[in-house]
Amino acid sequence: MENAFLIKYGEISLKGKNRPYFENKLVANVRKALKRFRVAVKLKVGRVYVHYEESEAAAVRDELARTFGIISFARTVKTEKTYEELCAAASVLAEEALSGRERVSFKIEARRTDKSFPLTSYEIACRLGEYLAHRHPRLEVNVRRPDWILTVEIRERAYLYGPPQPGLGGLPVGCSGRGLLLLSGGIDSPVAGYLMAKRGLGLDAVYFHTAPFTPEQSKEKVIDLVRTLRPYVPGLGLFVVDFSAVQVAIKEKAFHNAVTLMSRAAMVVIASRLARRERAAVLVSGECLGQVASQTPESLSFTGSFADRPILRPLIGLDKSEIIDMARRIGTFPISTRPFADCCTLFAPEHPLIKPDRDRLRGEFLDLGLDPLMEKAALSVEKVDVDGGNPKDGRQGDSDPTGSAAPGESQIRR
Ligand code: ATP
Ligand code: MG
């Protein structure tokens, strides 16, 4: 008897001639996710099997549940094609289905592609059903509304599996190319990265750090966000840009009400340069229509005009409550809500521009003469090694999330 998870990957099978490309990506991602376990991952005629050691079953299951491209997966037992072996394997799966439950109703669905097997599909279902009901008195046959369906397939070997567990769906990460995620310490951008990875986009993240105005903990927050996203986004790397000089120049030279928009524009310029260097075809941001002044159509049009490639904004039509629900589900919410300030909140004007005239403000941005500073920032990007250590999740306090006064903040107020 051999244990395996049988993985189903619906949408990939729609991709015609490209199918092998998607399948190989999925297999590679599953292997990467499971590299610390004793597993064998095999692709066989439209199915992926993961053979595992029983003692690691739960941990392997958790990883598969976080791998994009998997529609569902089911624990499968593979046996020799004898009636006795079928009974033994069915019994193992029945024990599992019964664990912690008083009674379980069940039915068996049998399929036989190997017609040399001496029992028909119908006979397999009847005989195995009788055997299980007799062997496990808490099981009862109910073919109309069963709690549990045991599927038996007789092919080159016999395969038995219970109901599949849903996966995350989506496409294997990497099959849609690569993007660069603008990752702040906030709630939105980690969710944006998650959603784009779900559609197969491989990602690196870039964080614009404004030390000493924002504390070191703001950077640690972002590192922990990357660690939390990594099980979903294999290979997610982190670049940190020293944004202080650019930010200070903007604060000194720009009209006060345009400071946030000018900072955002500078981030887009630097991110575009980094994306070109790292061969990322698109930028990804956590912007959402109408959420704040810098996210009106006019503001987005201004900041977006500095990108030399598309900016994907997967949250654009979502409500904050929907974004928060997702952030909680993927585990980033307690990290995002740690009370450490981001440069956006520290430098934000009281009455920001809401409907900027795009071309006029573009002219003002160019007049700021930020190019040498932006160039310097782009060249001195730090690639952070986020491996090792676990995310310190959980809120570290319940005060105002923007409340911790950053050292030096007052020095640059005009
Ligand atoms: P978030 O919750 O992701 O911070 P937000 O609603 O607070 O989003 P803003 O702070 O206006 O919105 O930022 C809009 C987007 O700009 C962010 O979602 C992120 O993609 C990007 N961004 C903002 N600040 C930074 C930063 N310091 N580093 C990297 N990206 C940033
Ligand atoms: Mg923010």
Side-chain angles (χ1 to χ4, degrees):
M1 232 186 278
E2 282 175 37
N3 288 316
F5 285 110
L6 166 61
I7 292 175
K8 295 209 168 146
Y9 46 90
E11 200 176 332
I12 302 178
S13 50
L14 300 174
K15 302 283 176 188
K17 281 192 195 139
N18 290 330
R19 184 173 159 159
Y21 171 75
F22 290 90
E23 286 176 332
N24 289 333
K25 218 27 157 203
L26 178 66
V27 168
N29 289 353
V30 169
R31 285 200 176 118
K32 211 183 273 178
L34 300 177
K35 66 175 184 287
R36 61 185 198 279
F37 302 111
R38 282 162 295 163
V39 295
V41 183
K42 289 179 189 161
L43 176 65
K44 270 191 207 162
V45 280
R47 289 157 188 250
V48 174
Y49 291 94
V50 177
H51 297 270
Y52 59 92
E53 300 282 334
E54 189 56 47
S55 60
E56 296 177 336
V60 170
R61 189 186 288 273
D62 286 350
E63 291 299 336
L64 294 179
R66 296 193 290 192
T67 301
F68 287 125
I70 296 178
I71 297 292
S72 67
F73 58 101
R75 186 192 152 147
T76 311
V77 178
K78 182 161 107 179
T79 70
E80 295 306 322
K81 287 182 284 189
T82 65
Y83 178 66
E84 292 70 28
E85 289 281 335
L86 289 187
C87 290
S91 236
V92 168
L93 292 171
E95 293 278 4
E96 239 179 50
L98 279 165
S99 83
R101 293 158 89 176
E102 194 53 35
R103 297 193 74 75
V104 172
S105 62
F106 80 106
K107 82 169 186 181
I108 291 178
E109 287 182 352
R111 278 193 287 277
R112 184 184 63 145
T113 49
D114 171 8
K115 302 291 181 200
S116 70
F117 190 73
L119 300 174
T120 64
S121 301
Y122 181 72
E123 286 166 343
I124 296 169
C126 292
R127 286 190 53 186
L128 212 51
E130 264 172 41
Y131 168 82
L132 283 182
H134 180 72
R135 172 84 201 274
H136 304 274
R138 282 153 53 222
L139 276 182
E140 62 191 353
V141 175
N142 181 342
V143 289
R144 292 223 171 144
R145 296 183 58 198
D147 302 323
W148 181 62
I149 298 175
L150 174 66
T151 306
V152 180
E153 290 184 10
I154 308 291
R155 302 205 303 265
E156 75 300 346
R157 304 275 295 276
Y159 295 87
L160 294 86
Y161 48 92
Q165 166 179 345
L168 288 178
L171 296 171
V173 172
C175 74
S176 304
R178 288 197 75 76
L180 182 64
L181 169 67
L182 281 81
L183 182 66
S184 71
I187 295 169
D188 301 331
S189 40
V191 178
Y194 172 90
L195 286 177
M196 286 296 86
K198 180 171 183 188
R199 296 306 302 162
L201 194 67
L203 288 172
D204 281 315
V206 57
Y207 169 61
F208 293 89
H209 191 39
T210 328
F213 310 107
T214 48
E216 197 56 23
Q217 286 98 325
S218 300
K219 184 167 148 189
E220 279 167 19
K221 238 171 114 170
V222 175
I223 293 174
D224 282 348
L225 285 172
V226 168
R227 286 190 187 133
T228 305
L229 285 173
R230 268 197 169 178
Y232 302 103
V233 194
L236 176 66
L238 174 63
F239 296 100
V240 175
V241 174
D242 179 355
F243 195 59
S244 310
V246 178
Q247 184 69 74
V248 169
I250 290 172
K251 185 78 186 171
E252 280 170 5
K253 295 184 192 166
F255 285 111
H256 187 57
N257 62 358
V259 163
T260 305
L261 283 176
M262 295 300 193
S263 309
R264 217 48 101 242
M267 287 181 192
V268 171
V269 170
I270 297 169
S272 294
R273 287 182 194 168
L274 185 59
R276 196 176 320 139
R277 203 179 78 197
E278 296 299 319
R279 300 206 168 87
V282 292
L283 302 179
V284 178
S285 95
E287 288 158 323
C288 168
L289 194 66
Q291 204 188 72
V292 288
S294 58
Q295 297 175 21
T296 63
E298 291 82 0
S299 297
L300 293 175
S301 165
F302 166 71
T303 48
S305 73
F306 291 93
D308 66 350
R309 57 206 66 219
I311 303 181
L312 304 184
R313 301 179 175 97
L315 309 184
I316 199 74
L318 296 183
D319 289 346
K320 193 75 184 185
S321 58
E322 293 171 296
I323 300 169
I324 288 175
D325 284 350
M326 250 182 267
R328 283 191 204 281
R329 232 178 20 248
I330 63 183
T332 53
F333 186 78
I335 303 169
S336 296
T337 48
R338 283 184 205 157
F340 299 111
D342 187 30
C343 58
C344 322
T345 37
L346 287 179
F347 290 78
E350 250 170 67
H351 301 290
L353 279 179
I354 293 173
K355 290 187 174 186
D357 178 317
R358 178 181 123 144
D359 293 332
R360 213 176 82 199
L361 204 61
R362 272 184 65 87
E364 286 177 20
F365 181 81
L366 299 176
D367 286 346
L368 295 178
L370 296 174
D371 223 42
L373 291 176
M374 292 193 295
E375 187 62 24
K376 196 169 165 218
L379 288 174
S380 61
V381 170
E382 176 199 2
K383 174 116 203 210
V384 178
D385 177 16
V386 295
D387 286 328
N390 292 315
K392 298 175 225 119
D393 64 358
R395 292 188 65 139
Q396 298 191 353
D398 283 318
S399 55
D400 170 12
T402 64
S404 67
E409 186 190 357
S410 55
Q411 292 166 22
I412 55 154
R413 282 217 187 282
R414 281 208 294 188

